[in-house]
């Protein structure tokens, strides 16, 4: 494979501007502005993405509406044949897709590969829709001779608004379920990483979906607002930062749409005195520094309990020092770049704030930023962090881990309780009673017990509490079936 720019072919115009996939065709956006997509490891320009318009959304919605009625009447067993083909094609192209993810996002190839596999797993689960979508009924359920049944029906056009950190996976928390249940769909990828979806839609094109069932619209804020306001869109799935999630939730709901909005995080990793230290530290490294800390499930605070000799804190710092920073396509690299120069500056600013607040910088990743080839920040560890410090409260979304030392598990749980976010928390321990108390009390949607990244498999909903989630029904699993269908009760009497 050559550069990503060379791979997009008909999905771009002659100037390398990405096209939208609407109504089964690659069409140019009506946008007058574009933004460069940059490989964050090399600063190479990969493509130009149009900053789409309300008109682009309108065209996509009308194509999706036109496709809906016939798609809805296609038996579920036939609908999923398109998804079986998509699974096969994505699996065949797994390594190419992973390389595209690494090139536009920066995460290591293995990590990128894992995220594409997670996307494919959602397709696999959605292939079970004929069973998953079944309702239930009861003869004589209403009275003698009067039967009562519940059936599920699709609603129409749905849209997903996606973040930069999982270019392949996040749209697939929604897309397979939406179309398997008989809806039609629009994906709005992050303008920072639009190429992976472009590549996936080139596969979607070959799967037999009727024109208009699955659509891709590139853009940023204007496209988001048009999605939130368009009367033809029945529901919106959003994943991104908390301020935007809150905004999307409010505006989409005001417009009468179904909405699920996943937001930011500040995830705590609790290390108990009896933790198996080497294995726990390996997990903590993966959690805090994998994808350069740009995961909504990344651990960003390690809370060490009764670590009086500082053994756990020292092992965490040693682990961070051993990680190699560089281009994610280099197999020796553990930590790739961060997404952009702006993100790099924001993260370096957070490190400075930690110093100003009086935390002790024990592993300083700022040196990696001197590599001007890309946007690098090395693994960074603070200890002597206090729970009230800004670096202990805000989502940094970079490779920065704060270590807080406390006396008891109760102290650790109180730190989690007082955080605004509730995405994930993990405990490292050999003590079942401590683990049980932790899972019982931690106010988060995803709990890890000796697991650093508690990422739910596709058949479970992706949890998220407090300011990490706005809505009721989450992505993936059975929640997805509920989100993308309306229930109808039918009461029948035959005279
Ligand atoms: P972001 O909020 O900046 O952008 C997300 C999407 O919203 C993008 O498609 C973008 O075009 C759009 N957008 C951005 N600003 C907007 C605005 N003012 N008005 C309308 N639309 C706007 O998020 P990001 O930086 O791309 O992604 C990182 C964030 O996503 C982190 O906070 C991370 O925790 C979160 N995230 C959460 C989960 C989860 O499951 N909870 C998963 C992945 C990422």
């Amino acid at each position: 494979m050559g550069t990503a720019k060379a791979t997009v072919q008909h999905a771009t115009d002659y100037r390398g501007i990405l096209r939208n996939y609407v109504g089964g065709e690659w069409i140019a956006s009506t946008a007058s502005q574009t933004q460069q997509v940059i490989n964050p490891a090399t600063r190479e320009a990969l493509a130009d993405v149009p900053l789409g318009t309300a008109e682009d959304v309108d065209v996509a919605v009308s194509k999706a509406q036109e496709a809906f009625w016939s798609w809805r009447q296609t038996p579920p067993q036939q609908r999923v044949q398109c998804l079986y083909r998509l699974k096969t094609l994505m699996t065949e192209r797994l390594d190419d897709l992973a390389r595209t993810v690494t090139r536009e996002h920066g995460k290591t190839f293995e990590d990128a590969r894992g995220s594409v596999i997670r996307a494919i797993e959602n397709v696999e689960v959605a292939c079970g829709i004929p069973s998953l979508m079944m309702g239930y009924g009861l003869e004589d359920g209403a009275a003698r001779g009067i039967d009562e049944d519940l059936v599920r029906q699709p609603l129409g056009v749905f849209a997903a608004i996606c973040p930069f950190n999982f270019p392949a996976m996040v749209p697939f928390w929604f897309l397979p379920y939406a179309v398997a249940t008989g809806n039609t769909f629009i994906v709005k990828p992050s303008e920072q990483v639009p190429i992976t979806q472009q590549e996936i839609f080139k596969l979607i094109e070959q799967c037999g979906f009727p024109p208009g069932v699955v659509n891709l619209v590139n853009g940023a804020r204007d496209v988001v607002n048009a999605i939130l306001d368009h009367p033809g869109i029945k529901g919106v799935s959003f994943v991104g930062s908390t301020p935007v999630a809150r905004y999307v939730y409010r505006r989409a709901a005001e417009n009468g749409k179904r909405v699920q909005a996943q937001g930011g995080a500040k995830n705590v990793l609790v290390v108990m005195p009896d933790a198996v230290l080497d294995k726990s530290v390996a997990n903590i490294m993966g959690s805090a520094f994998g994808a350069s800390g740009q995961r909504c499930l990344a651990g960003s605070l390690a809370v060490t309990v009764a670590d009086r000799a500082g053994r756990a804190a020292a092992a965490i710092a040693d682990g961070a020092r051993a990680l190699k920073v560089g281009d994610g396509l280099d197999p020796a690299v553990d930590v790739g770049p961060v997404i952009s120069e702006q993100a790099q500056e924001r993260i370096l600013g957070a490190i400075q704030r930690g110093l100003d607040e009086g935390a002790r910088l024990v592993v300083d990743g700022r040196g990696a930023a001197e590599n001007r080839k890309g946007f690098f920040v090395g693994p960074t560890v603070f200890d002597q962090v206090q729970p009230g410090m800004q670096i202990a409260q805000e989502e940094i979304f970079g490779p920065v881990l704060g270590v807080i030392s406390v006396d008891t598990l109760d102290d650790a749980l109180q730190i989690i309780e007082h955080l605004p976010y509730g995405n994930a928390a993990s405990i490292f321990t050999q003590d079942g009673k401590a683990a049980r108390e932790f899972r019982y009390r931690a106010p988060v949607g995803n709990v890890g017990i000796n697991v650093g990244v508690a990422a739910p498999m596709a058949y479970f909903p992706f949890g998220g509490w407090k300011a990490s989630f706005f809505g009721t029904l989450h992505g993936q699993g059975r929640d997805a079936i509920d989100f993308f269908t309306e229930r109808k009760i039918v009461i029948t009497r035959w005279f």
Side-chain angles (χ1 to χ4, degrees):
M1 206 170 96
T3 66
K5 197 167 185 171
T7 66
V8 265
Q9 298 152 9
H10 59 299
T12 57
D13 75 2
Y14 65 95
R15 292 161 302 176
I17 298 178
L18 301 183
R19 290 194 166 124
N20 294 336
Y21 184 75
V22 171
E25 286 175 30
W26 292 99
I27 60 168
S29 163
T30 60
S32 55
Q33 286 186 318
T34 60
Q35 180 175 307
Q36 272 191 337
V37 184
I38 307 276
N39 179 336
T42 62
R43 296 182 184 240
E44 177 198 4
L46 301 173
D48 289 304
V49 61
L51 297 177
T53 62
E55 197 182 329
D56 294 342
V57 173
D58 200 40
V59 173
V61 174
S62 49
K63 292 292 178 190
Q65 281 177 319
E66 276 169 33
F68 172 61
W69 195 248
S70 156
W71 182 242
R72 184 206 152 154
Q73 293 175 79
T74 306
Q77 186 57 23
Q78 272 179 37
R79 290 200 295 256
V80 297
Q81 298 312 312
C82 301
L83 290 174
Y84 283 120
R85 285 191 281 274
L86 182 57
K87 177 212 152 53
T88 304
L89 291 178
M90 287 177 76
T91 306
E92 283 170 9
R93 291 286 313 282
L94 175 58
D95 285 356
D96 289 341
L97 290 172
R99 261 189 293 277
T100 304
V101 170
T102 297
R103 228 180 245 124
E104 68 175 346
H105 173 281
K107 64 180 76 180
T108 63
F109 175 72
E110 274 314 308
D111 198 10
R113 208 171 176 276
S115 74
V116 179
I117 291 171
R118 288 272 174 158
I120 294 170
E121 286 167 357
N122 278 283
V123 178
E124 291 169 356
V125 172
C127 284
I129 221 71
S131 306
L132 293 169
M133 206 180 155
M134 271 183 201
Y136 44 85
L138 189 62
E139 285 181 344
D140 302 319
R144 183 185 292 233
I146 304 181
D147 305 329
E148 188 156 347
D149 299 279
L150 178 149
V151 291
R152 288 175 183 279
Q153 297 186 336
L155 286 96
V157 184
F158 279 81
I161 301 163
C162 305
F164 80 81
N165 65 328
F166 282 101
M169 180 183 75
V170 165
F172 277 73
W173 285 348
F174 313 110
L175 184 157
Y177 306 99
V179 297
T181 48
N183 299 285
T184 54
F185 204 64
I186 299 170
V187 176
K188 202 295 282 176
S190 163
E191 64 278 19
Q192 297 189 88
V193 293
I195 300 173
T196 302
Q197 283 306 308
Q198 206 87 6
E199 293 295 315
I200 289 177
F201 268 74
K202 283 161 64 182
L203 305 180
I204 284 177
E205 203 182 357
Q206 300 166 44
C207 292
F209 289 104
V213 170
V214 208
N215 305 277
L216 177 70
V217 176
N218 286 295
R221 211 177 171 138
D222 290 348
V223 169
V224 172
N225 287 334
I227 288 172
L228 302 179
D229 292 345
H230 201 295
I233 294 181
K234 299 290 182 194
V236 175
S237 304
F238 172 87
V239 181
S241 59
T242 288
V244 185
R246 191 178 273 123
Y247 164 77
V248 163
Y249 183 67
R250 191 181 298 134
R251 188 152 166 177
E254 249 170 36
N255 287 322
K257 300 185 196 316
R258 289 189 172 198
V259 50
Q260 47 184 191
Q262 303 185 205
K266 187 79 181 174
N267 304 312
V268 173
L269 308 167
V270 176
V271 186
M272 296 298 285
D274 65 347
V276 180
L277 207 50
D278 56 341
K279 294 196 170 111
S280 304
V281 168
N283 264 269
I284 292 168
M285 293 304 108
S287 177
F289 303 121
S292 298
Q294 300 169 115
R295 286 194 193 122
C296 64
L297 294 177
S300 59
L301 282 179
V303 177
T304 58
V305 177
D307 183 32
R308 287 184 191 98
R311 215 165 60 92
I316 289 169
D318 287 345
R321 280 187 204 102
L323 298 173
K324 184 169 161 31
V325 181
D327 188 327
L329 288 176
D330 174 350
V333 160
D334 304 296
V335 180
V338 298
I339 186 67
S340 63
E341 190 154 22
Q342 201 188 5
Q344 184 189 42
E345 278 166 16
R346 188 179 44 72
I347 295 161
L348 295 175
I351 296 173
Q352 185 56 48
R353 222 166 20 256
L355 284 167
D356 296 344
E357 287 179 303
R360 193 168 66 119
L361 189 58
V362 287
V363 183
D364 184 354
R366 291 176 297 178
E370 282 158 24
N371 175 359
R372 302 301 297 164
K373 216 176 146 213
F375 312 124
F376 297 99
V377 181
T380 298
V381 180
F382 279 105
D383 74 5
Q384 297 178 7
V385 173
Q386 298 302 318
M389 289 178 178
Q390 211 177 326
I391 54 158
Q393 291 283 322
E394 69 178 7
E395 179 180 48
I396 297 173
F397 221 57
V400 181
L401 180 67
V403 181
I404 302 182
S405 160
V406 299
D407 292 330
T408 65
L409 175 58
D410 186 63
D411 296 336
L413 279 160
Q414 283 195 32
I415 290 171
I416 300 171
E417 279 159 19
H418 286 106
L419 283 169
Y421 300 104
N423 228 29
S426 296
I427 186 169
F428 294 90
T429 185
Q430 292 299 96
D431 179 349
K433 187 164 183 292
R436 199 269 172 185
E437 181 171 358
F438 188 80
R439 65 177 272 171
Y440 191 76
R441 279 183 54 191
V444 299
N446 305 289
V447 169
I449 296 171
N450 297 313
V451 171
V453 182
M457 297 296 288
Y459 25 85
F460 285 97
F462 192 103
W465 290 16
K466 293 161 61 177
S468 296
F469 182 72
F470 302 90
T472 309
L473 296 167
H474 295 251
Q476 298 196 147
R478 287 184 182 277
D479 272 26
I481 317 303
D482 284 339
F483 186 74
F484 290 115
T485 57
E486 184 61 282
R487 287 169 295 182
K488 183 180 275 181
I489 310 295
V490 183
I491 301 175
T492 308
R493 169 166 53 200
W494 292 102
F495 297 113

